[in-house]
């Protein structure tokens, strides 16, 4: 048999004469390459295997008739297909149908939109448009008709879709320690309803004594109505609205200025001069979408104002201790220590009273509140004094010396300026900023004040401390948590994770598994904002 003849035609036989050239691969650069150690060794067994067209013993299949060969091959292929083809198919997943009776206007593959709103951290509300396919939300965009978003959306709104389809979301109610239901297997809502009767009926007889609620801070008329119904049924219950990042100083400052808690709503599109004492209103602020749109609307240097020849370009003064997104956009930025900011605010109020701010009580308020504001200017006194003098003049008059009150459009006596304070500033600074806005005529034009609800104005830290003391004293038998995680984000000195275990019944509604859920006796999945009414 020659070297080029196939060895599998009759039987496996070695070559009659060795290869004249060693089996090797030569590269373009002259170096030698092999396909493995066997190839480099060039053993007769490897050469014999390499030169065969068919595997060993394949020629034995032809020893019988052609009919027998076809039957054997057909059976082998059939068995191989039965064993391997099902594993190569796409997994067969079942999905719930859209509805038992599909509406006429629903066309598979054609998107539909509905308007809704999302509650953001800090108690803000964002108006959005939600795109749906067969009833399932797929994309979120800003609602162009909503005054708070003006067609734009925040990162929180975009991420809400990911939370909706999170595979780690709680799916079924589970019970981990209530009387005869002590296992962690999924339960039905009917099971919880029956258990809730045994838990809440005695509490109703005691008019809510021993019952405590911890809820997240939201501005929701629907929840306010539900709260009224619950507190009417359980008048002795404790209700606390908790937000771990809430600033109580802003609420206290509005109480000092107005006698009741008020919330600021900025209209920066009407402001020619904006002063911020440590407030990052373009990024870390409940109204960041509205503020960003208003700020950008008045920052067009190529456009002139309708009644004047000056460019439509506002000026931003920023006084802060660390660089922020708003500070990066500032025209004039003063970087100072946090302890100096209150003193600068007091100096600005005193200077405004001298340069013509129309408020006889502003100087008195500045002097009264300056005594409460800590901090001394120190070596920056000269620089701060020059900054405050220019800032006070710019708040009251424009470049040509005209009063900004007289230049405001659409409202007689209104000023195109506003002064705001950040959440880290003490209550006295917030109250002083409210007094400055009233003195320069900004209220009702560049800043509006809205009353706060009871939950929004309440102090979450004080309320949580009250519940923790009641838990440690054995006064709370049933604790209900709605959308909060106090076992993780409560102040450390409260040791709330240990205190809540002293309640016999711990019911928590949440989106996913967290520390409070882990310590609860009833774990209930919470509906997402895009799949519930509110």
């Amino acid at each position: 048999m020659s070297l080029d003849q196939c060895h599998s035609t009759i039987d496996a036989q070695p070559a009659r004469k060795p290869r004249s050239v060693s089996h090797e691969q030569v590269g373009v650069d002259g170096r030698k390459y092999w396909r493995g150690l066997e190839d480099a060794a060039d053993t007769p067994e490897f050469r014999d295997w390499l030169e065969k067209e068919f595997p060993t013993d394949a020629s034995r299949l032809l020893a019988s008739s052609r009919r027998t060969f076809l039957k054997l091959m057909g059976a082998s292929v059939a068995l191989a297909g039965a064993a391997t083809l099902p594993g190569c198919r796409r997994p067969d997943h079942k999905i719930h149908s859209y509805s038992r009776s599909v509406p006429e206007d629903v066309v598979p593959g054609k998107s539909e939109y509905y308007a809704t709103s999302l509650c953001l951290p800090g108690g803000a509300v964002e108006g959005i448009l939600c795109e749906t396919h067969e009833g399932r939300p797929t994309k979120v965009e800003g609602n162009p008709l909503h005054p708070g978003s003006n067609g734009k959306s925040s990162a929180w709104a975009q991420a809400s879709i990911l939370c909706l389809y999170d595979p780690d979301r709680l799916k079924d109610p589970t019970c981990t320690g209530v009387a005869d239901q002590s296992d962690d297997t999924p339960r039905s809502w009917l099971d919880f309803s029956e258990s809730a009767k045994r838990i809440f009926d005695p509490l109703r007889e005691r008019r809510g004594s021993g019952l405590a609620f911890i809820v997240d801070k939201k501005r929701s008329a629907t929840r306010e109505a539900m709260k009224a119904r619950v507190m009417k049924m359980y008048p002795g219950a404790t209700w606390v609205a908790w937000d771990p990042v809430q600033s109580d100083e802003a609420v206290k400052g509005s109480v000092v200025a107005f006698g009741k808690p008020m919330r600021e709503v900025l209209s920066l599109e009407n402001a020619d001069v904006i002063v911020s004492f440590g407030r990052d209103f373009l990024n870390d602020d409940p109204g960041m979408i509205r503020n960003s749109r208003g700020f950008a609307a008045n920052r067009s240097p190529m456009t002139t104002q309708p009644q004047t020849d000056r460019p439509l370009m506002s000026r931003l003064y920023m006084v802060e201790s660390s660089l922020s997104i708003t500070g990066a956009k500032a025209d004039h930025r003063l970087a100072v220590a946090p302890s100096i900011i209150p003193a600068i605010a007091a100096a600005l109020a005193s200077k405004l009273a001298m340069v013509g701010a129309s408020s006889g009580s502003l100087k008195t308020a500045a002097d009264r509140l300056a005594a409460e504001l800590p901090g001394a200017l120190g070596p920056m006194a000269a620089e701060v004094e020059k900054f405050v003098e220019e800032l006070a003049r710019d708040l009251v008059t424009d470049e040509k010396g005209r009063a900004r009150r007289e230049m405001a459009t659409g409202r007689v006596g209104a000023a195109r300026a506003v002064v705001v304070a950040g959440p880290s500033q003490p209550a006295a600074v917030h109250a002083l900023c409210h007094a400055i806005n009233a003195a320069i005529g900004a209220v009702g034009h560049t800043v509006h004040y809205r009353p706060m609800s009871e939950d929004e104005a309440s102090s979450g830290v004080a309320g949580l401390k009250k519940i923790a003391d009641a838990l440690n004293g054995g006064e709370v038998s049933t604790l209900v948590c709605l959308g909060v995680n106090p076992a993780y984000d409560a102040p450390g000195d409260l040791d709330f994770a240990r205190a809540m275990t002293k309640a016999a019944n711990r019911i928590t509604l949440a989106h996913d598994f967290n520390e409070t859920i882990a310590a609860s006796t009833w774990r209930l999945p919470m509906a997402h904002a895009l799949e519930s009414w509110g």
Side-chain angles (χ1 to χ4, degrees), residues 57-295:
D57 296 334
S59 59
R60 298 184 184 276
L61 292 174
L62 298 178
S64 60
S65 64
R66 179 181 178 88
R67 180 181 181 87
T68 305
F69 171 77
L70 293 177
K71 286 194 300 182
L72 293 175
M73 293 300 296
S76 302
V77 173
L79 290 174
T84 59
L85 287 181
C88 298
R89 293 205 314 248
R90 180 177 297 176
D92 187 14
H93 294 301
K94 302 297 183 183
I95 189 170
H96 291 289
S97 60
Y98 167 63
S99 176
R100 180 173 300 178
S101 55
V102 181
E104 295 181 358
D105 56 345
V106 174
V107 179
K110 183 178 180 181
S111 58
E112 289 191 335
Y113 298 85
Y114 68 88
T116 183
S117 60
L118 289 176
C119 293
L120 302 181
V125 178
E126 182 176 348
I128 61 172
L129 283 179
C130 186
E131 178 184 356
T132 65
H133 289 83
E134 290 78 53
R136 297 178 177 87
T138 56
K139 188 68 171 69
V140 168
E141 293 294 348
N143 189 347
L145 301 180
H146 195 280
S149 59
N150 294 316
K152 302 300 179 180
S153 61
S154 64
W156 299 98
Q158 295 296 327
S160 62
I161 288 290
L162 302 178
C163 300
L164 177 63
Y165 296 106
D166 185 1
D168 295 329
R169 283 185 62 187
L170 298 180
K171 299 176 178 61
D172 301 292
T174 56
C175 180
T176 61
V178 179
D180 57 337
Q181 301 177 352
S182 58
D183 60 305
D184 197 12
T185 58
R187 302 274 179 180
S188 66
W189 284 100
L190 181 59
D191 295 335
F192 172 71
S193 179
E194 295 175 354
S195 181
K197 291 180 181 179
R198 297 193 298 268
I199 296 173
F200 288 98
D201 285 349
L203 293 173
R204 184 181 301 181
E205 296 174 359
R206 300 199 303 265
R207 297 181 59 80
S209 177
L211 176 61
F213 293 92
I214 305 178
V215 302
D216 55 341
K217 281 185 177 290
K218 286 184 179 179
R219 296 205 298 263
S220 171
T222 303
R223 200 179 73 176
E224 290 295 327
M226 295 299 297
K227 174 187 174 182
R229 293 173 57 184
V230 170
M231 298 307 293
K232 183 179 180 180
M233 187 178 302
Y234 306 99
T238 303
W239 182 284
V240 172
W242 167 244
D243 184 359
V245 296
Q246 178 192 4
S247 173
D248 293 338
E249 298 301 316
V251 179
K252 295 176 183 177
S254 65
V255 173
V256 173
F258 305 104
K260 58 181 180 180
M262 302 290 283
R263 169 170 38 88
E264 287 178 313
V265 179
L266 303 179
S267 298
L268 300 182
E269 64 275 8
N270 299 328
D272 287 343
V273 178
I274 305 169
V275 182
S276 174
F277 290 102
R279 180 168 176 178
D280 190 8
F281 57 82
L282 296 179
N283 178 49
D284 188 14
D285 193 271
M288 57 182 176
I289 297 296
R290 178 188 179 96
N291 297 340
S292 299
R293 296 288 285 171
F295 180 74

